[in-house]
Short mmCIF file of all heavy atoms in Angstrom, two decimals:
data_model
loop_
_atom_site.label_atom_id
_atom_site.label_comp_id
_atom_site.label_asym_id
_atom_site.label_seq_id
_atom_site.Cartn_x
_atom_site.Cartn_y
_atom_site.Cartn_z
N MET A 1 -13.31 9.41 9.15
CA MET A 1 -12.07 8.67 8.97
C MET A 1 -11.23 9.37 7.90
O MET A 1 -11.71 9.68 6.82
CB MET A 1 -12.41 7.24 8.54
CG MET A 1 -11.21 6.38 8.34
SD MET A 1 -11.80 4.70 8.05
CE MET A 1 -10.30 3.90 7.77
N ALA A 2 -9.99 9.62 8.19
CA ALA A 2 -9.09 10.32 7.27
C ALA A 2 -8.32 9.32 6.42
O ALA A 2 -8.23 8.13 6.74
CB ALA A 2 -8.13 11.19 8.06
N ILE A 3 -7.74 9.83 5.35
CA ILE A 3 -6.93 8.99 4.47
C ILE A 3 -5.69 8.52 5.24
O ILE A 3 -5.12 9.26 6.03
CB ILE A 3 -6.55 9.76 3.19
CG1 ILE A 3 -5.90 8.83 2.18
CG2 ILE A 3 -5.71 10.95 3.47
CD1 ILE A 3 -5.78 9.40 0.80
N ASP A 4 -5.31 7.30 5.03
CA ASP A 4 -4.18 6.69 5.73
C ASP A 4 -2.86 7.32 5.27
O ASP A 4 -2.60 7.43 4.07
CB ASP A 4 -4.17 5.18 5.44
CG ASP A 4 -3.20 4.43 6.31
OD1 ASP A 4 -2.09 4.93 6.57
OD2 ASP A 4 -3.54 3.31 6.71
N ALA A 5 -2.04 7.73 6.22
CA ALA A 5 -0.75 8.36 5.91
C ALA A 5 0.17 7.41 5.14
O ALA A 5 0.94 7.85 4.28
CB ALA A 5 -0.07 8.82 7.20
N LYS A 6 0.09 6.11 5.41
CA LYS A 6 0.93 5.15 4.69
C LYS A 6 0.52 5.08 3.22
O LYS A 6 1.37 4.89 2.35
CB LYS A 6 0.83 3.77 5.33
CG LYS A 6 1.54 3.70 6.65
CD LYS A 6 1.55 2.31 7.20
CE LYS A 6 2.25 2.33 8.56
NZ LYS A 6 2.57 1.01 9.03
N LEU A 7 -0.75 5.25 2.95
CA LEU A 7 -1.22 5.27 1.56
C LEU A 7 -0.64 6.48 0.83
O LEU A 7 -0.16 6.36 -0.30
CB LEU A 7 -2.75 5.31 1.51
CG LEU A 7 -3.37 5.42 0.12
CD1 LEU A 7 -3.03 4.21 -0.73
CD2 LEU A 7 -4.88 5.59 0.23
N VAL A 8 -0.63 7.61 1.49
CA VAL A 8 -0.06 8.83 0.88
C VAL A 8 1.41 8.64 0.55
O VAL A 8 1.90 9.12 -0.46
CB VAL A 8 -0.27 10.05 1.81
CG1 VAL A 8 0.41 11.28 1.25
CG2 VAL A 8 -1.75 10.31 2.02
N GLU A 9 2.12 7.89 1.38
CA GLU A 9 3.55 7.64 1.14
C GLU A 9 3.81 6.79 -0.09
O GLU A 9 4.84 6.95 -0.75
CB GLU A 9 4.18 6.94 2.36
CG GLU A 9 4.32 7.83 3.57
CD GLU A 9 4.92 7.07 4.75
OE1 GLU A 9 5.62 6.07 4.52
OE2 GLU A 9 4.68 7.51 5.88
N ILE A 10 2.90 5.89 -0.43
CA ILE A 10 3.19 4.96 -1.53
C ILE A 10 2.55 5.32 -2.86
O ILE A 10 2.99 4.84 -3.89
CB ILE A 10 2.80 3.51 -1.15
CG1 ILE A 10 1.31 3.40 -0.89
CG2 ILE A 10 3.62 3.01 0.00
CD1 ILE A 10 0.83 1.98 -0.71
N ILE A 11 1.51 6.16 -2.86
CA ILE A 11 0.91 6.52 -4.15
C ILE A 11 1.71 7.64 -4.79
O ILE A 11 2.40 8.40 -4.12
CB ILE A 11 -0.58 6.89 -4.03
CG1 ILE A 11 -0.78 8.05 -3.08
CG2 ILE A 11 -1.40 5.71 -3.62
CD1 ILE A 11 -2.21 8.51 -2.99
N ALA A 12 1.61 7.73 -6.11
CA ALA A 12 2.38 8.71 -6.87
C ALA A 12 1.46 9.48 -7.81
O ALA A 12 0.37 9.03 -8.15
CB ALA A 12 3.48 8.01 -7.67
N CYS A 13 1.94 10.61 -8.25
CA CYS A 13 1.23 11.42 -9.23
C CYS A 13 1.09 10.60 -10.52
O CYS A 13 2.09 10.07 -11.02
CB CYS A 13 1.99 12.71 -9.49
SG CYS A 13 1.29 13.70 -10.83
N PRO A 14 -0.10 10.50 -11.07
CA PRO A 14 -0.27 9.73 -12.30
C PRO A 14 0.37 10.38 -13.52
O PRO A 14 0.60 9.71 -14.51
CB PRO A 14 -1.78 9.62 -12.45
CG PRO A 14 -2.34 10.72 -11.65
CD PRO A 14 -1.36 11.00 -10.56
N VAL A 15 0.68 11.66 -13.44
CA VAL A 15 1.27 12.37 -14.58
C VAL A 15 2.79 12.21 -14.60
O VAL A 15 3.37 11.76 -15.58
CB VAL A 15 0.88 13.87 -14.55
CG1 VAL A 15 1.54 14.64 -15.68
CG2 VAL A 15 -0.64 14.02 -14.63
N CYS A 16 3.45 12.57 -13.49
CA CYS A 16 4.92 12.57 -13.46
C CYS A 16 5.52 11.44 -12.63
O CYS A 16 6.73 11.28 -12.59
CB CYS A 16 5.44 13.91 -12.97
SG CYS A 16 5.17 14.20 -11.20
N LYS A 17 4.67 10.71 -11.91
CA LYS A 17 5.09 9.61 -11.01
C LYS A 17 5.84 10.11 -9.79
O LYS A 17 6.53 9.37 -9.12
CB LYS A 17 5.93 8.56 -11.74
CG LYS A 17 5.35 8.07 -13.05
CD LYS A 17 3.99 7.45 -12.88
CE LYS A 17 3.49 6.88 -14.19
NZ LYS A 17 2.35 7.53 -14.75
N GLY A 18 5.71 11.40 -9.51
CA GLY A 18 6.38 12.00 -8.35
C GLY A 18 5.56 11.86 -7.08
O GLY A 18 4.43 11.37 -7.08
N LYS A 19 6.13 12.31 -5.99
CA LYS A 19 5.53 12.22 -4.66
C LYS A 19 4.38 13.22 -4.54
O LYS A 19 4.46 14.32 -5.07
CB LYS A 19 6.59 12.52 -3.60
CG LYS A 19 6.13 12.28 -2.20
CD LYS A 19 7.32 12.00 -1.32
CE LYS A 19 6.91 11.68 0.08
NZ LYS A 19 6.23 10.42 0.21
N LEU A 20 3.34 12.82 -3.84
CA LEU A 20 2.20 13.68 -3.58
C LEU A 20 2.21 14.12 -2.12
O LEU A 20 2.66 13.37 -1.25
CB LEU A 20 0.89 12.95 -3.88
CG LEU A 20 0.66 12.57 -5.33
CD1 LEU A 20 -0.56 11.66 -5.45
CD2 LEU A 20 0.49 13.80 -6.19
N GLN A 21 1.72 15.33 -1.87
CA GLN A 21 1.61 15.86 -0.51
C GLN A 21 0.14 15.92 -0.14
O GLN A 21 -0.70 16.32 -0.97
CB GLN A 21 2.16 17.27 -0.44
CG GLN A 21 3.64 17.39 -0.28
CD GLN A 21 4.00 18.84 -0.07
OE1 GLN A 21 3.99 19.61 -1.03
NE2 GLN A 21 4.30 19.22 1.14
N LEU A 22 -0.17 15.59 1.08
CA LEU A 22 -1.54 15.68 1.57
C LEU A 22 -1.82 17.11 2.03
O LEU A 22 -1.09 17.67 2.84
CB LEU A 22 -1.74 14.70 2.73
CG LEU A 22 -3.11 14.70 3.39
CD1 LEU A 22 -4.19 14.34 2.37
CD2 LEU A 22 -3.12 13.73 4.55
N ASP A 23 -2.86 17.70 1.48
CA ASP A 23 -3.33 19.02 1.90
C ASP A 23 -4.64 18.79 2.65
O ASP A 23 -5.70 18.65 2.04
CB ASP A 23 -3.54 19.92 0.68
CG ASP A 23 -4.01 21.31 1.05
OD1 ASP A 23 -4.35 21.55 2.22
OD2 ASP A 23 -4.06 22.16 0.15
N ARG A 24 -4.54 18.69 3.97
CA ARG A 24 -5.71 18.38 4.79
C ARG A 24 -6.75 19.50 4.74
O ARG A 24 -7.95 19.24 4.80
CB ARG A 24 -5.29 18.12 6.23
CG ARG A 24 -4.51 16.84 6.39
CD ARG A 24 -4.26 16.53 7.87
NE ARG A 24 -3.32 15.46 8.03
CZ ARG A 24 -3.64 14.18 7.96
NH1 ARG A 24 -4.88 13.84 7.72
NH2 ARG A 24 -2.72 13.24 8.12
N GLU A 25 -6.30 20.73 4.63
CA GLU A 25 -7.22 21.87 4.62
C GLU A 25 -8.19 21.80 3.44
O GLU A 25 -9.37 22.08 3.58
CB GLU A 25 -6.42 23.18 4.55
CG GLU A 25 -7.28 24.41 4.55
CD GLU A 25 -6.47 25.68 4.49
OE1 GLU A 25 -5.28 25.66 4.85
OE2 GLU A 25 -7.04 26.69 4.05
N HIS A 26 -7.69 21.41 2.28
CA HIS A 26 -8.53 21.33 1.08
C HIS A 26 -8.94 19.90 0.73
O HIS A 26 -9.62 19.69 -0.27
CB HIS A 26 -7.80 21.95 -0.11
CG HIS A 26 -7.55 23.41 0.08
ND1 HIS A 26 -6.30 23.91 0.40
CD2 HIS A 26 -8.38 24.47 0.01
CE1 HIS A 26 -6.38 25.22 0.50
NE2 HIS A 26 -7.63 25.59 0.27
N ASN A 27 -8.51 18.94 1.53
CA ASN A 27 -8.80 17.52 1.31
C ASN A 27 -8.38 17.09 -0.11
O ASN A 27 -9.18 16.58 -0.90
CB ASN A 27 -10.28 17.23 1.55
CG ASN A 27 -10.52 15.78 1.88
OD1 ASN A 27 -9.69 15.13 2.50
ND2 ASN A 27 -11.65 15.25 1.45
N GLU A 28 -7.10 17.33 -0.40
CA GLU A 28 -6.54 17.03 -1.71
C GLU A 28 -5.13 16.46 -1.57
O GLU A 28 -4.48 16.64 -0.55
CB GLU A 28 -6.43 18.31 -2.56
CG GLU A 28 -7.73 18.98 -2.85
CD GLU A 28 -7.56 20.32 -3.54
OE1 GLU A 28 -6.62 21.08 -3.21
OE2 GLU A 28 -8.38 20.61 -4.42
N LEU A 29 -4.70 15.78 -2.63
CA LEU A 29 -3.31 15.36 -2.75
C LEU A 29 -2.68 16.25 -3.80
O LEU A 29 -3.22 16.41 -4.91
CB LEU A 29 -3.22 13.89 -3.17
CG LEU A 29 -3.68 12.90 -2.11
CD1 LEU A 29 -3.78 11.50 -2.70
CD2 LEU A 29 -2.73 12.90 -0.93
N VAL A 30 -1.55 16.84 -3.47
CA VAL A 30 -0.93 17.86 -4.32
C VAL A 30 0.38 17.36 -4.91
O VAL A 30 1.24 16.83 -4.20
CB VAL A 30 -0.68 19.15 -3.51
CG1 VAL A 30 0.07 20.18 -4.33
CG2 VAL A 30 -2.01 19.72 -3.02
N CYS A 31 0.53 17.56 -6.22
CA CYS A 31 1.80 17.34 -6.90
C CYS A 31 2.42 18.72 -7.13
O CYS A 31 1.90 19.51 -7.92
CB CYS A 31 1.59 16.62 -8.23
SG CYS A 31 3.14 16.44 -9.15
N ARG A 32 3.49 19.01 -6.42
CA ARG A 32 4.14 20.32 -6.54
C ARG A 32 4.77 20.50 -7.92
O ARG A 32 4.78 21.59 -8.46
CB ARG A 32 5.19 20.49 -5.44
CG ARG A 32 4.58 20.54 -4.05
CD ARG A 32 5.63 20.67 -2.97
NE ARG A 32 6.46 21.82 -3.11
CZ ARG A 32 6.17 23.06 -2.68
NH1 ARG A 32 5.04 23.27 -2.07
NH2 ARG A 32 7.01 24.05 -2.85
N PHE A 33 5.31 19.44 -8.49
CA PHE A 33 5.99 19.52 -9.77
C PHE A 33 5.03 19.91 -10.90
O PHE A 33 5.30 20.82 -11.68
CB PHE A 33 6.68 18.19 -10.10
CG PHE A 33 7.46 18.23 -11.39
CD1 PHE A 33 8.71 18.83 -11.45
CD2 PHE A 33 6.94 17.68 -12.54
CE1 PHE A 33 9.43 18.88 -12.63
CE2 PHE A 33 7.64 17.72 -13.74
CZ PHE A 33 8.89 18.32 -13.78
N ASP A 34 3.89 19.24 -10.97
CA ASP A 34 2.91 19.51 -12.02
C ASP A 34 1.90 20.59 -11.62
O ASP A 34 1.08 20.99 -12.45
CB ASP A 34 2.14 18.23 -12.38
CG ASP A 34 3.02 17.20 -13.03
OD1 ASP A 34 3.80 17.56 -13.93
OD2 ASP A 34 2.93 16.02 -12.63
N ARG A 35 1.93 21.01 -10.36
CA ARG A 35 1.00 21.99 -9.82
C ARG A 35 -0.45 21.53 -10.03
O ARG A 35 -1.30 22.27 -10.52
CB ARG A 35 1.23 23.38 -10.40
CG ARG A 35 2.57 23.94 -10.01
CD ARG A 35 2.76 25.40 -10.30
NE ARG A 35 1.92 25.94 -11.33
CZ ARG A 35 2.37 26.60 -12.40
NH1 ARG A 35 3.65 26.76 -12.57
NH2 ARG A 35 1.54 27.09 -13.28
N LEU A 36 -0.71 20.28 -9.61
CA LEU A 36 -2.04 19.70 -9.69
C LEU A 36 -2.50 19.26 -8.31
O LEU A 36 -1.69 18.79 -7.50
CB LEU A 36 -2.05 18.48 -10.62
CG LEU A 36 -1.79 18.73 -12.09
CD1 LEU A 36 -1.65 17.41 -12.84
CD2 LEU A 36 -2.91 19.56 -12.71
N ALA A 37 -3.79 19.42 -8.04
CA ALA A 37 -4.38 18.98 -6.78
C ALA A 37 -5.47 17.96 -7.10
O ALA A 37 -6.43 18.27 -7.81
CB ALA A 37 -4.96 20.16 -6.02
N TYR A 38 -5.28 16.75 -6.60
CA TYR A 38 -6.23 15.66 -6.83
C TYR A 38 -7.19 15.59 -5.65
O TYR A 38 -6.75 15.52 -4.50
CB TYR A 38 -5.49 14.33 -6.98
CG TYR A 38 -4.57 14.31 -8.17
CD1 TYR A 38 -3.21 14.62 -8.04
CD2 TYR A 38 -5.05 14.01 -9.44
CE1 TYR A 38 -2.37 14.61 -9.13
CE2 TYR A 38 -4.21 14.00 -10.54
CZ TYR A 38 -2.88 14.30 -10.38
OH TYR A 38 -2.04 14.30 -11.47
N PRO A 39 -8.48 15.57 -5.90
CA PRO A 39 -9.45 15.53 -4.79
C PRO A 39 -9.46 14.18 -4.09
O PRO A 39 -9.11 13.15 -4.66
CB PRO A 39 -10.79 15.78 -5.50
CG PRO A 39 -10.60 15.26 -6.88
CD PRO A 39 -9.14 15.54 -7.21
N ILE A 40 -9.86 14.23 -2.83
CA ILE A 40 -10.09 13.02 -2.05
C ILE A 40 -11.59 12.99 -1.77
O ILE A 40 -12.12 13.88 -1.09
CB ILE A 40 -9.29 13.02 -0.74
CG1 ILE A 40 -7.80 13.10 -1.04
CG2 ILE A 40 -9.61 11.78 0.09
CD1 ILE A 40 -6.93 13.33 0.18
N THR A 41 -12.28 12.00 -2.33
CA THR A 41 -13.72 11.90 -2.19
C THR A 41 -14.06 10.66 -1.37
O THR A 41 -13.66 9.55 -1.73
CB THR A 41 -14.37 11.79 -3.59
OG1 THR A 41 -13.94 12.88 -4.39
CG2 THR A 41 -15.88 11.77 -3.49
N GLU A 42 -14.76 10.87 -0.26
CA GLU A 42 -15.12 9.79 0.65
C GLU A 42 -13.89 8.96 1.04
O GLU A 42 -13.91 7.72 1.01
CB GLU A 42 -16.21 8.92 0.04
CG GLU A 42 -17.50 9.67 -0.18
CD GLU A 42 -18.60 8.83 -0.77
OE1 GLU A 42 -18.51 7.58 -0.72
OE2 GLU A 42 -19.56 9.41 -1.29
N ASN A 43 -12.79 9.65 1.34
CA ASN A 43 -11.51 9.07 1.76
C ASN A 43 -10.83 8.24 0.68
O ASN A 43 -9.96 7.43 0.97
CB ASN A 43 -11.68 8.23 3.03
CG ASN A 43 -12.09 9.07 4.21
OD1 ASN A 43 -11.54 10.15 4.41
ND2 ASN A 43 -13.04 8.61 4.96
N ILE A 44 -11.21 8.46 -0.58
CA ILE A 44 -10.59 7.76 -1.70
C ILE A 44 -9.96 8.80 -2.63
O ILE A 44 -10.66 9.69 -3.13
CB ILE A 44 -11.63 6.92 -2.48
CG1 ILE A 44 -12.24 5.87 -1.56
CG2 ILE A 44 -10.99 6.28 -3.70
CD1 ILE A 44 -13.41 5.15 -2.14
N PRO A 45 -8.65 8.73 -2.85
CA PRO A 45 -8.00 9.68 -3.76
C PRO A 45 -8.48 9.45 -5.20
O PRO A 45 -8.52 8.32 -5.67
CB PRO A 45 -6.51 9.35 -3.65
CG PRO A 45 -6.37 8.47 -2.47
CD PRO A 45 -7.69 7.83 -2.23
N VAL A 46 -8.86 10.53 -5.86
CA VAL A 46 -9.30 10.45 -7.26
C VAL A 46 -8.10 10.91 -8.10
O VAL A 46 -7.90 12.10 -8.32
CB VAL A 46 -10.53 11.33 -7.51
CG1 VAL A 46 -10.97 11.22 -8.96
CG2 VAL A 46 -11.66 10.95 -6.56
N LEU A 47 -7.31 9.95 -8.55
CA LEU A 47 -6.05 10.26 -9.23
C LEU A 47 -6.23 10.26 -10.75
O LEU A 47 -5.54 9.56 -11.49
CB LEU A 47 -4.97 9.27 -8.81
CG LEU A 47 -4.64 9.30 -7.32
CD1 LEU A 47 -3.64 8.21 -6.98
CD2 LEU A 47 -4.12 10.67 -6.92
N LEU A 48 -7.15 11.08 -11.20
CA LEU A 48 -7.40 11.26 -12.63
C LEU A 48 -7.00 12.69 -13.00
O LEU A 48 -7.48 13.64 -12.38
CB LEU A 48 -8.87 11.04 -12.96
CG LEU A 48 -9.43 9.66 -12.65
CD1 LEU A 48 -10.95 9.65 -12.83
CD2 LEU A 48 -8.79 8.62 -13.55
N GLU A 49 -6.16 12.82 -14.02
CA GLU A 49 -5.72 14.15 -14.42
C GLU A 49 -6.92 15.03 -14.79
O GLU A 49 -6.93 16.23 -14.51
CB GLU A 49 -4.75 14.04 -15.60
CG GLU A 49 -4.14 15.37 -15.98
CD GLU A 49 -3.13 15.25 -17.09
OE1 GLU A 49 -2.92 14.15 -17.64
OE2 GLU A 49 -2.52 16.30 -17.42
N SER A 50 -7.93 14.44 -15.36
CA SER A 50 -9.11 15.20 -15.77
C SER A 50 -9.90 15.75 -14.58
O SER A 50 -10.66 16.70 -14.72
CB SER A 50 -10.03 14.34 -16.64
OG SER A 50 -10.49 13.22 -15.91
N ARG A 51 -9.73 15.16 -13.41
CA ARG A 51 -10.43 15.62 -12.20
C ARG A 51 -9.55 16.51 -11.33
O ARG A 51 -10.02 17.09 -10.34
CB ARG A 51 -10.88 14.42 -11.37
CG ARG A 51 -11.93 13.54 -12.00
CD ARG A 51 -13.34 14.08 -11.88
NE ARG A 51 -13.69 14.52 -10.54
CZ ARG A 51 -14.19 13.76 -9.59
NH1 ARG A 51 -14.42 12.49 -9.81
NH2 ARG A 51 -14.48 14.27 -8.41
N ALA A 52 -8.28 16.64 -11.68
CA ALA A 52 -7.34 17.45 -10.89
C ALA A 52 -7.60 18.93 -11.10
O ALA A 52 -8.07 19.36 -12.16
CB ALA A 52 -5.91 17.11 -11.25
N ARG A 53 -7.25 19.69 -10.07
CA ARG A 53 -7.38 21.14 -10.12
C ARG A 53 -5.99 21.74 -10.33
O ARG A 53 -5.04 21.34 -9.66
CB ARG A 53 -7.98 21.59 -8.78
CG ARG A 53 -8.18 23.06 -8.63
CD ARG A 53 -8.96 23.35 -7.35
NE ARG A 53 -8.22 23.05 -6.15
CZ ARG A 53 -7.41 23.91 -5.52
NH1 ARG A 53 -7.22 25.12 -6.00
NH2 ARG A 53 -6.78 23.55 -4.42
N ARG A 54 -5.86 22.66 -11.27
CA ARG A 54 -4.59 23.36 -11.51
C ARG A 54 -4.35 24.35 -10.37
O ARG A 54 -5.26 25.05 -9.96
CB ARG A 54 -4.63 24.15 -12.82
CG ARG A 54 -4.31 23.35 -13.98
CD ARG A 54 -2.96 23.75 -14.56
NE ARG A 54 -2.67 22.72 -15.54
CZ ARG A 54 -1.64 21.91 -15.45
NH1 ARG A 54 -0.80 22.02 -14.48
NH2 ARG A 54 -1.45 20.98 -16.35
N LEU A 55 -3.12 24.39 -9.88
CA LEU A 55 -2.77 25.28 -8.80
C LEU A 55 -1.91 26.44 -9.29
O LEU A 55 -1.05 26.24 -10.16
CB LEU A 55 -1.98 24.53 -7.72
CG LEU A 55 -2.73 23.40 -7.03
CD1 LEU A 55 -1.77 22.65 -6.12
CD2 LEU A 55 -3.89 23.94 -6.23
N ASP A 56 -2.14 27.61 -8.74
CA ASP A 56 -1.25 28.75 -8.96
C ASP A 56 -0.05 28.59 -8.03
O ASP A 56 -0.12 27.86 -7.04
CB ASP A 56 -1.96 30.07 -8.64
CG ASP A 56 -3.09 30.37 -9.61
OD1 ASP A 56 -2.98 29.98 -10.80
OD2 ASP A 56 -4.08 30.99 -9.18
N LEU A 57 1.03 29.28 -8.34
CA LEU A 57 2.23 29.17 -7.50
C LEU A 57 1.96 29.54 -6.05
O LEU A 57 2.52 28.92 -5.13
CB LEU A 57 3.35 30.04 -8.07
CG LEU A 57 3.99 29.53 -9.35
CD1 LEU A 57 5.02 30.54 -9.86
CD2 LEU A 57 4.64 28.18 -9.13
N ASP A 58 1.10 30.51 -5.82
CA ASP A 58 0.83 30.93 -4.44
C ASP A 58 -0.07 29.96 -3.69
O ASP A 58 -0.24 30.07 -2.48
CB ASP A 58 0.23 32.34 -4.41
CG ASP A 58 -1.08 32.45 -5.17
OD1 ASP A 58 -1.34 31.61 -6.06
OD2 ASP A 58 -1.85 33.38 -4.88
N GLU A 59 -0.64 28.98 -4.36
CA GLU A 59 -1.50 27.98 -3.72
C GLU A 59 -0.74 26.74 -3.25
O GLU A 59 -1.30 25.92 -2.54
CB GLU A 59 -2.59 27.51 -4.69
CG GLU A 59 -3.67 28.51 -4.98
CD GLU A 59 -4.74 27.90 -5.85
OE1 GLU A 59 -4.53 27.82 -7.07
OE2 GLU A 59 -5.77 27.47 -5.30
N LEU A 60 0.49 26.57 -3.69
CA LEU A 60 1.25 25.37 -3.35
C LEU A 60 1.49 25.33 -1.83
O LEU A 60 1.90 26.32 -1.24
CB LEU A 60 2.57 25.33 -4.09
CG LEU A 60 2.48 25.11 -5.59
CD1 LEU A 60 3.83 25.23 -6.24
CD2 LEU A 60 1.88 23.75 -5.90
N PRO A 61 1.25 24.16 -1.22
CA PRO A 61 1.51 24.04 0.22
C PRO A 61 2.99 24.18 0.53
O PRO A 61 3.84 23.79 -0.28
CB PRO A 61 1.00 22.65 0.58
CG PRO A 61 0.71 21.96 -0.68
CD PRO A 61 0.75 22.95 -1.79
N GLY A 62 3.29 24.76 1.69
CA GLY A 62 4.64 25.03 2.12
C GLY A 62 5.48 23.85 2.22
O GLY A 62 6.59 23.67 2.11
#
């Protein structure tokens, strides 16, 4: 079971409160502004800055 698309539309980045993008390939929610990728574990987004992965510019989804 995948994360619900409606959930992705309403949740926000905990750091900047901006929109998150779903990266299905890496099973993460990405904040392009802060360049952070939040993991999705067992279909539950883990929206903790301490658990986020820093992204390089070339890693940002299109």
Side-chain angles (χ1 to χ4, degrees):
M1 181 173 177
I3 189 167
D4 190 321
K6 288 185 181 193
L7 177 62
V8 175
E9 289 179 25
I10 62 172
I11 58 177
C13 173
V15 177
C16 71
K17 311 301 184 247
K19 188 155 183 68
L20 295 171
Q21 277 186 285
L22 178 60
D23 181 351
R24 291 187 190 277
E25 181 180 338
H26 296 104
N27 203 33
E28 298 173 322
L29 291 170
V30 175
C31 176
R32 294 178 58 84
F33 183 78
D34 293 315
R35 295 192 337 234
L36 293 173
Y38 297 95
I40 300 171
T41 306
E42 296 180 18
N43 295 317
I44 299 170
V46 181
L47 298 176
L48 299 171
E49 186 177 3
S50 62
R51 294 280 312 272
R53 179 172 68 88
R54 276 250 169 242
L55 297 173
D56 293 328
L57 288 176
D58 60 337
E59 289 185 279
L60 291 174

